[in-house]
Amino acid sequence: MAEAPPGELQRRVDDLRRTVDRLNFEYFVLDQPSATDDEYDRLVRELRALEADHPELVDPDSPTQRVGATPQGGFAEVVHPRPMLSLSNVYSEDELRAWAARAARFAGDDPDAPSSLRFVTEAKVDGLAVALTYVDGRFDHGATRGDGLDGDDITANLRTIRSIPLRLHEVVGTTVPRVLEVRGEIYMRKADFAALNARLEGESGKTFMNPRNAAAGSLRQKDARVTASRPLRLVTYGIGHTEGGSPPPSHWQALALLRDLGFDASPDARRCATVAEVWEQCRAWQERRHEVPFEIDGVVVKVDDLRTQEEIGYVAREPRWATAYKFPAIQTTTVVEDIVVNVGRTGSLNPLARLRPVAIGGVTVSRATLHNEDEVARKDIRIGDTVVVQRAGDVIPQIVKVIEERRTGSEVPWVPPAVCPSCGTPSHREPGEAMRYCPNAACPDQLRQRIQHFVSRNAMDIAGLGEKLADRFVDLEMVADVADLYTLDWERVAGLERLGEKSAANLRASVEASKTRPLARLIFALGIRHVGEKAGRLLADRFGSLDAIGLASTEEIAAVRGIGGIVADSVHQFFQESRNRDLVAKLSRVGVRTVEEAGPRDAATGHLKGKSFVLTGRLANLTRPEAEARLRQAGAAVSGSVSKKTAFVVAGDEPGSKVERAEALKVPVIDEARLLALLAGRDVGEAITETTAEPGDPPHTAETPSGTGTAVGDGGGNRDAAD
Ligand code: IVH
């Protein structure tokens, strides 16, 4: 075949790219395909062939370049320039009205006049929140929500999703911000989910529980080629951070802009002038929730005007200007086939009902948590009973009640286990405690659970150590506690049946890598009762080492803002037990970092090292402890008073006299947006070089007494009061 002239070739390639992009948009965003699959495939094949023959024409944004070739090692961390918030819930019309009245109050509405607020309703799609950043119209990077402050960089995976434009569509007559962060939800349609499960069933026998889990599992793949093979979609519901241009003044207009830019943006959103209209929408969605092709678990209601949103403000990590109406749980009946006991990682003996499998809202349910033995007694649940079960959103199915009329007399009451079902040790229940425990620290089931927790992604993130392998280590007595993972006999591991050298080497590498995880993760990984990720972070920030936590009194721990009495008690108790202290010492001996040090995360943002910050006034997005913690994490010091050495004074709402003092001393005063930019490392800050502390200067005190801020009820949620 004769070679086409280069200009013509480029035109053909451009034309093909545009057509393929358009067909993707029609199919995945508009849901209105204008070509058959065959036609689409033919165009993609032609484009691929041309690009293969002419590598000089390859463009990273070509629709053929969505899948990168090489799997990534892990996910890098992305600090969200604006926190990704969660939503409060309302469950009834009354609660919805109460929410709207409160929002109106914060918006400064006259309580006697009709409310000025306008709302937008949209479906709450059950998937995973993501933030996609476009720079100069091109998809730059994307991240998971993570804990709301920082998430995982999943750019390579997101690029494979064809409802995500790699380049924004041109919009005539509108200036689109140069940096535009788009927020939305990655989800899977019900039919796509069913087809995927059918395929997986045939391939590996391993299927997903529900569309949400399928979406999460597919998005978190280290190999983007796997993600590319999964039917994921994006629906967008808002604009986050912007630079170089302002976002539209209302949510409704933001959605319209997103649509123009090529996104599927809350397609069924409605603008409502009254709460009655909002409620009508909630009812309408509830009625047709099963008719839509994806799972929704509620309706999100937002105040439309963005300026009013800011006036209404935030409580902790939730906006006061938005809420989610949650549909009532779906219920059905089934039979309790058995009641079994699971041993938790803290030794708790958890009763669990095995149910005759039943579908609830598209998910097959075969077990339900029974919480504890009092709950079983209170509801008088017996083996053989017909019961009402319900599933609400993500929550594990629950038994609502027994249908007593269905009893035949052959039902068997359940007796709490006198001995641990795993190790046979007599069980123990403290008076006043709801749970029964297995007191044996060496109980194999407890150990299994502790290992599972220790290696889990948000804890020490040791990849390659699944449930089965952990069980084998325990059964073969290769590990007696989590510290033993660091001194495994690797030859023996490689020799284990069905494992092999390569997997053993990979596992060894990830065990090694876990030695330098941040302290917060290690604290969480220890599995101390009531200590979640957040408490882990707070404890790490306050104490800086496991030893220091071990030496702290309950009162000292409880003085950490955000840590309550129960958690403090539990932490203190944990370190009172010699076997736990021994474990901590052993972890340190085998090389696990038990002291907070500048890790890779700090190095990435360590540009604030040596800079002293003073905070004053209320911030809109960060609580005071969050702001302080994040500054320290980036290497900065946080001081209570302004001096010439202060690098920046951060002023929120109603700042105190510190701003005047800063101005007098010519210390730069910045707002929260600039603070977030500095934290994210996107803004190096002119002034930062000017005010760098001299070598040898005494460090500014970073000590901020915990618990100084007074929580101010409604007006301030749990943000600190202004100083
Ligand atoms: S707005 C400012 N809108 O719900 C509030 N969230 O419970 C931030 N979600 O993390 C979210 N559909 O994953 C918003 N139309 C929608 C949504 C939505 C689903 C999810 C999102 C968020 C969670 C909050």
Side-chain angles (χ1 to χ4, degrees):
M1 200 173 83
E3 197 51 14
E8 206 167 297
L9 206 65
Q10 179 74 61
R11 266 197 301 282
R12 178 65 188 149
V13 166
D14 287 347
D15 202 38
L16 283 167
R17 285 178 185 155
R18 261 197 307 274
T19 312
V20 172
D21 276 338
R22 179 172 52 79
L23 294 179
N24 275 334
F25 176 67
E26 287 171 356
Y27 187 94
F28 288 102
V29 178
L30 303 180
D31 225 351
Q32 285 165 356
S34 71
T36 64
D37 289 1
D38 273 356
E39 286 168 302
Y40 174 83
D41 289 344
R42 219 176 35 240
L43 294 168
V44 174
R45 267 200 307 275
E46 185 186 343
L47 179 57
R48 274 192 208 289
L50 286 175
E51 287 178 341
D53 288 348
H54 301 276
E56 73 281 4
L57 296 183
V58 172
D59 177 301
D61 293 340
S62 169
T64 59
Q65 303 299 307
R66 284 187 176 265
V67 189
T70 41
Q72 310 153 270
F75 299 111
E77 196 177 77
V78 175
V79 178
H80 298 304
R82 258 164 164 257
M84 291 183 77
L85 305 167
S86 50
L87 289 169
S88 61
N89 296 320
V90 294
Y91 295 91
S92 64
E93 183 179 1
D94 283 349
E95 288 182 20
L96 176 73
R97 287 190 178 278
W99 165 80
R102 209 156 89 102
R105 212 166 60 238
F106 278 98
D109 265 10
D110 174 355
D112 299 322
S115 169
S116 67
L117 296 186
R118 300 290 172 269
F119 307 93
V120 174
T121 57
E122 43 197 46
K124 188 164 191 295
V125 178
D126 205 6
L128 270 101
V130 290
L132 313 174
T133 303
Y134 287 78
V135 179
D136 291 325
R138 300 178 60 163
F139 177 42
D140 185 77
H141 64 273
T144 59
R145 175 174 187 272
D147 63 0
L149 298 178
D150 42 46
D152 288 334
D153 184 331
I154 50 162
T155 310
N157 296 356
L158 288 169
R159 281 179 61 92
T160 69
I161 299 172
R162 284 183 283 166
S163 47
I164 296 182
L166 297 178
R167 285 200 191 171
L168 298 177
H169 296 186
E170 301 259 329
V171 190
V172 192
T174 313
T175 25
V176 178
R178 198 180 74 74
V179 176
L180 178 74
E181 191 203 29
V182 177
R183 294 191 169 173
E185 196 88 352
I186 299 290
Y187 70 102
M188 210 178 270
R189 287 189 169 192
K190 290 187 252 186
D192 290 337
F193 160 72
L196 171 67
N197 259 1
R199 193 185 95 202
L200 293 177
E201 178 75 61
E203 282 171 13
S204 63
K206 279 197 200 155
T207 54
F208 287 108
M209 267 281 281
N210 53 44
R212 186 180 186 285
N213 286 359
S218 302
L219 200 55
R220 293 210 52 85
Q221 293 289 333
K222 299 227 163 123
D223 184 346
R225 285 169 297 189
V226 180
T227 310
S229 74
R230 303 284 172 80
L232 296 172
R233 289 170 187 257
L234 169 76
V235 61
T236 60
Y237 49 68
I239 291 176
H241 173 73
T242 59
E243 283 171 40
S246 359
S250 75
H251 181 61
W252 185 253
Q253 284 162 292
L255 293 178
L257 174 63
L258 288 172
R259 280 180 209 122
D260 289 344
L261 293 171
F263 295 96
D264 180 17
S266 294
D268 297 296
R270 289 282 179 281
R271 203 149 41 150
C272 301
T274 62
V275 187
E277 280 175 43
V278 170
W279 179 241
E280 212 173 283
Q281 282 301 316
C282 292
R283 294 299 309 242
W285 273 111
Q286 188 168 318
E287 256 159 48
R288 62 191 199 95
R289 63 183 295 199
H290 297 300
E291 288 153 32
V292 290
F294 40 82
E295 285 206 345
I296 52 179
D297 60 348
V299 179
V300 181
V301 187
K302 297 171 183 167
V303 167
D304 189 26
D305 184 67
L306 298 201
R307 206 131 39 121
T308 314
Q309 285 184 358
E310 289 312 307
E311 277 163 23
I312 298 172
Y314 304 80
V315 185
R317 300 273 189 84
E318 291 170 1
R320 247 192 240 108
W321 47 263
T323 194
Y325 166 67
K326 287 297 202 69
F327 299 138
I330 336 172
Q331 300 188 338
T332 188
T333 61
T334 188
V335 174
V336 176
E337 293 188 326
D338 199 1
I339 294 179
V340 295
V341 171
N342 258 356
V343 185
R345 62 169 194 261
T346 55
S348 59
L349 301 179
N350 314 309
L352 189 84
R354 288 209 182 287
L355 306 174
R356 182 171 299 162
V358 62
I360 316 183
V363 175
T364 305
V365 167
S366 56
R367 40 202 209 158
T369 167
L370 294 171
H371 302 292
N372 56 53
E373 52 202 61
D374 289 349
E375 177 89 351
V376 181
R378 192 173 61 76
K379 290 182 177 162
D380 189 19
I381 300 168
R382 306 179 191 178
I383 299 161
D385 266 337
T386 299
V387 292
V388 175
V389 283
Q390 76 171 23
R391 189 176 76 93
D394 247 1
V395 191
I396 314 163
Q398 292 180 320
I399 294 184
V400 182
K401 62 170 186 187
V402 171
I403 307 179
E404 285 190 35
E405 305 82 72
R406 301 280 275 275
R407 280 204 172 138
T408 61
S410 63
E411 293 75 15
V412 184
W414 176 70
V415 187
V419 298
C420 168
S422 169
C423 64
T425 307
S427 67
H428 174 74
R429 186 178 167 184
E430 279 288 310
E433 279 240 14
M435 295 309 287
R436 178 177 292 273
Y437 287 90
C438 161
N440 174 16
C443 168
D445 268 8
Q446 281 185 50
L447 180 56
R448 275 184 248 277
Q449 301 279 350
R450 279 202 297 270
I451 295 175
Q452 281 308 309
H453 175 70
F454 189 81
V455 305
S456 64
R457 198 175 63 79
N458 294 347
M460 299 300 266
D461 194 14
I462 300 179
L465 188 51
E467 217 167 301
K468 293 221 178 78
L469 186 55
D471 286 357
R472 274 156 98 194
F473 287 165
V474 174
D475 292 340
L476 296 170
E477 298 185 5
M478 291 170 75
V479 295
D481 58 40
V482 292
D484 285 343
L485 293 172
Y486 295 92
T487 51
L488 275 166
D489 174 350
W490 290 104
E491 256 172 52
R492 190 168 170 207
V493 175
L496 289 180
E497 214 186 312
R498 288 194 304 277
L499 200 72
E501 301 268 339
K502 181 129 198 294
S503 311
N506 287 343
L507 176 59
R508 185 176 189 170
S510 64
V511 166
E512 277 303 310
S514 75
K515 286 180 176 173
T516 51
R517 298 276 179 257
L519 180 62
R521 278 169 170 262
L522 177 60
I523 298 171
F524 172 58
L526 288 175
I528 306 170
R529 223 190 284 178
H530 306 301
V531 175
E533 286 170 64
K534 186 172 164 228
R537 232 183 236 255
L538 294 170
L539 290 168
D541 283 341
R542 167 68 183 81
F543 294 101
S545 75
L546 280 183
D547 285 342
I549 303 173
L551 292 172
S553 67
T554 308
E555 290 70 33
E556 282 168 314
I557 301 170
V560 178
R561 205 173 155 75
I563 301 269
I566 293 175
V567 179
D569 233 12
S570 171
V571 172
H572 184 68
Q573 202 49 47
F574 180 88
F575 285 96
Q576 288 308 102
E577 290 183 34
S578 61
R579 65 183 152 108
N580 293 330
R581 284 201 306 272
D582 291 347
L583 175 67
V584 168
K586 188 168 164 188
L587 281 168
S588 165
R589 257 195 332 272
V590 298
V592 176
R593 208 171 68 185
T594 57
V595 178
E596 190 69 297
E597 282 169 25
R601 172 200 170 106
D602 304 4
T605 48
H607 55 286
L608 299 183
K609 209 155 218 83
K611 311 294 177 293
S612 173
F613 282 68
V614 174
L615 301 168
T616 175
R618 267 197 306 271
L619 301 179
N621 291 306
L622 294 175
T623 63
R624 182 67 71 86
E626 274 166 6
E628 288 178 3
R630 287 186 56 185
L631 279 166
R632 284 202 205 102
Q633 228 162 12
V638 183
S639 169
S641 58
V642 186
S643 78
K644 275 208 304 231
K645 295 281 163 62
T646 305
F648 288 104
V649 169
V650 183
D653 273 357
E654 298 171 46
S657 58
K658 287 170 189 172
V659 167
E660 284 149 41
R661 182 158 163 77
E663 278 159 3
L665 294 172
K666 299 214 164 49
V667 169
V669 178
I670 62 171
D671 63 5
E672 183 178 12
R674 180 92 190 275
L675 169 67
L676 289 166
L678 283 167
L679 284 169
R682 280 180 297 90
D683 179 354
V684 203
E686 283 288 279
I688 218 153
T689 27
E690 287 166 25
T691 52
T692 300
E694 299 289 329
D697 268 345
H700 292 292
T701 165
E703 224 9 80
T704 9
S706 323
T708 26
T710 345
V712 279
D714 227 354
N718 58 11
R719 287 173 305 178
D720 287 0
D723 50 0

